[in-house]
Structure formats: structure tokens, C-alpha cells
Amino acid sequence: MLDRLLITGAAGGLGQMAREKLRPLAKTLRLSDIADMEPAKQGEEVVPCDLADAAAVRDLVAGCDGIIHFGGVSVEKPFGPILEANIIGVYNLYEAARAAGQPRIVFASSNHTIGYYTQDTYLTNDVPLRPDGLYGVSKCFGEAMASMYHDKFGQETAIVRIGSCFPEPKNHRMLSTWLSAGDFVSLINSIFAVPRLGCPIIWGVSDNDTKWWDNSAVAYLGWRPTDNSEVYRAKIDAAMAPPGRDAPDAVYQGGLFTAEPIHEE
Ligand code: NAI
Ligand code: 15L
């Protein structure tokens, strides 16, 4: 059991899910966000923090022996907020972790690091990056930071390229990219349990029939996703027509993110 697990982005969708489901993983959960959070319950600490504030991030990370880094901009946005949260914020986090004895980190990366691969390609975890926007580029930066801090200092990070982690898949593309909360929780438990983690790239995807990603290189983690989006197919078919054959959501793994412009400030 960890002593104190830091969850950044605790006010967000995945942060709230983790707050509820990862309680048994640590004696204390330290929950942080720039947005409002529910008050601390027993075994919790609520610590507001802007990831762009280096001194505040250093204090935030001190005393933690594990970090789940969900905080940051999670969709395509102008470069300013992405720079603050996902570039400067990630640098601040890694420097704070270095000062705090290198707690193991789960870095929430994204399928948008490889979004321009087409849906007819099956990807191992060592393919060249093909980000589909500034958000995807910022996640490539985070992955590169994890790799460099591992090579230079031995910092361990699980780079989880999350597909689509929501209670249910929301459209036809997500039948391929869906990661269930249960599978994500079991992945995080495996990441903190494995004796030697290193700095693997892990596809964050459930055992969907139509998945595009091959996790065989990280079999040593012992993680076996058990959910399958197929159970939602009929519901999605009934709710919406599938995208046209040439629509971005049907062509590219990153779906509609590939059609986003560069947003102005
Ligand atoms: P979310 O947008 O709901 O949560 C992100 C949280 O980060 C928000 O509560 C926000 O207030 C906080 N944040 C933003 N800027 C900040 C700053 N400067 N300082 C401190 N906190 C800041 O996103 P969600 O869905 O919970 O995702 C969590 C993480 O997982 C994100 O990093 C996202 O990029 C990544 N991810 C999520 C996927 C999903 O399917 N939910 C898919 C791929 C990646
Ligand atoms: C992401 O990276 C986003 O954070 C999330 O909101 C979804 O859009 C997801 O990717 C996806 O590709 O479905």
C-alpha cells in the first residue's frame, strides 16, 4: 500500500472516478486541481494548485510516494493554456518529483499522440508519433519528458495512452478506443504493484473486439483488461448513424480531433 498518492486533475472526469475507486491503493489520497473539488473526506487531503506554478507544484508533490497525473488541458485548445498546463505543468511535475525522491508516476497520455494513423492500421507501442493537434503534441512532450527523466535519473513512469475513458463508448469510433473505468483501475493497480516498472508506453484500451492497439510489449505488467465495448454496439447503432466512409471519425484513429483547426488565443 502507498502512503500518500497524489492525483492531479482530481476535479475532472477521470480524477473523480479515481478518487472514488482508488481509495484502497494508499493510506492518504492527496487530491489536487485548479478547479473546485469536493471537501476532503477521511483519508483525503485536498490541495488546490495551478500546475504552472513551480513552487506550488514542488510543495504539492513533497511527501507523496505515487502520482497519477491527470491534470491539464484534455482537448484541443489555443496554445496558451496548453503551454501553461501541459508543457510547463509537466516540467514542473517532473522537477518536483525529482526533488521528492522520484515517486512512481502514471502519466495520462492520449491516443491523440498517434491520431493521424488510419483506423485500418494496428499499432504496437513503438510506432513513430503522429499527433493530430496541439493537444496531441503536448502529450508527445509529456511522453518525451517521462522518457528523458527515466534515462537520466531512473524516474519510473507508466505512460498510458488512453483511448476514450468514459462510462460507456459515445459513438462508433469509441467502440475501438473505449477504456472502461474498471479496466483503468486494474491497470493502475498493476502499475503500482509491479516490482520494476521502467517507462513503458501502455495502450489504455479495454478488450474491445475492434481495438487498434497491441499491448503485447507490456505483458510483464500482468494487466488483463476484461471489458469489451461490443456490449454497447446495438445501443450506439440505435442512437446514431455510423460516420460516412470518408469522415474523419471513420478514417483516423484520432477521429474528429484531426479536423480541429489551430485555435487562436
Ligand atoms: P478533464 O478535463 O475532465 O480533467 C482535467 C483536469 O485538469 C480538470 O479538472 C482541470 O481543471 C485540470 N487542470 C487543467 N489545467 C490545470 C492547471 N493549469 N493546473 C491544475 N489543474 C488543471 O479530463 P479527463 O477526461 O478527466 O482526463 C484526465 C487526463 O487524462 C487528461 O490529462 C487527459 O488529457 C487524459 N486523457 C483522457 C482521456 C479520456 O478519455 N477521458 C483520453 C486520453 C487522455
Ligand atoms: C482525449 O485525449 C480526450 O481527453 C478525451 O476527452 C476524449 O476526447 C478522448 O481523447 C478520445 O479520443 O475519445
Side-chain angles (χ1 to χ4, degrees):
M1 194 188 222
L2 296 166
D3 275 329
R4 181 178 282 103
L5 173 65
L6 169 63
I7 302 177
T8 68
L14 294 186
Q16 290 185 56
M17 181 277 287
R19 179 178 188 173
E20 185 197 321
K21 295 191 188 295
L22 291 176
R23 202 54 288 277
L25 190 54
K27 289 184 195 138
T28 304
L29 292 184
R30 180 174 286 178
L31 305 157
S32 184
D33 205 294
I34 198 172
D36 290 345
M37 293 165 281
E38 295 286 316
K41 300 184 202 117
Q42 201 179 6
E44 293 180 344
E45 298 168 346
V46 168
V47 184
C49 176
D50 181 349
L51 290 163
D53 180 340
V57 175
R58 187 176 273 245
D59 291 346
L60 178 69
V61 169
C64 297
D65 55 352
I67 301 174
I68 302 178
H69 186 50
F70 285 143
V73 171
S74 64
V75 291
E76 194 62 11
K77 284 263 173 79
F79 188 61
I82 289 178
L83 174 66
E84 293 283 312
N86 295 14
I87 306 283
I88 296 171
V90 165
Y91 167 73
N92 288 342
L93 187 89
Y94 273 86
E95 277 298 278
R98 188 158 74 95
Q102 303 184 166
R104 197 169 274 190
I105 297 175
V106 177
F107 173 62
S109 186
S110 170
N111 71 88
H112 297 290
T113 54
I114 53 79
Y116 267 115
Y117 282 95
T118 52
Q119 295 184 6
D120 55 4
T121 39
Y122 192 62
L123 305 183
T124 51
N125 69 351
D126 56 357
V127 294
L129 296 165
R130 293 185 73 178
D132 57 26
L134 295 176
Y135 164 66
V137 168
S138 75
K139 291 295 183 181
C140 296
F141 172 82
E143 293 192 1
M145 286 290 286
S147 171
M148 185 268 279
Y149 274 71
H150 180 246
D151 287 335
K152 204 179 272 289
F153 304 118
Q155 166 73 56
E156 293 192 305
T157 299
I159 297 168
V160 185
R161 280 190 193 150
I162 305 167
S164 306
C165 191
F166 298 104
E168 296 182 6
K170 297 178 183 176
N171 54 39
H172 288 86
R173 169 182 164 273
M174 288 192 193
L175 291 169
S176 298
T177 58
W178 185 59
L179 171 64
S180 72
D183 283 336
F184 200 3
V185 166
S186 69
L187 172 59
I188 290 170
N189 281 314
S190 300
I191 288 165
F192 283 107
V194 72
R196 264 201 193 181
L197 176 65
C199 190
I201 293 172
I202 305 157
W203 298 107
V205 68
S206 282
D207 190 25
N208 308 325
D209 284 2
T210 57
K211 62 180 180 287
W212 304 315
W213 306 319
D214 175 2
N215 261 330
S216 53
V218 293
Y220 72 94
L221 295 174
W223 177 53
R224 302 278 176 274
T226 55
D227 291 316
N228 188 330
S229 62
E230 232 19 64
V231 297
Y232 297 105
R233 184 174 293 279
K235 188 172 172 186
I236 287 175
D237 281 342
M240 67 194 80
R245 217 179 40 168
D246 297 330
D249 222 20
V251 174
Y252 296 111
Q253 297 197 358
L256 293 172
F257 279 58
T258 62
E260 291 267 0
I262 300 296
H263 293 278
E264 295 190 11
E265 302 286 332

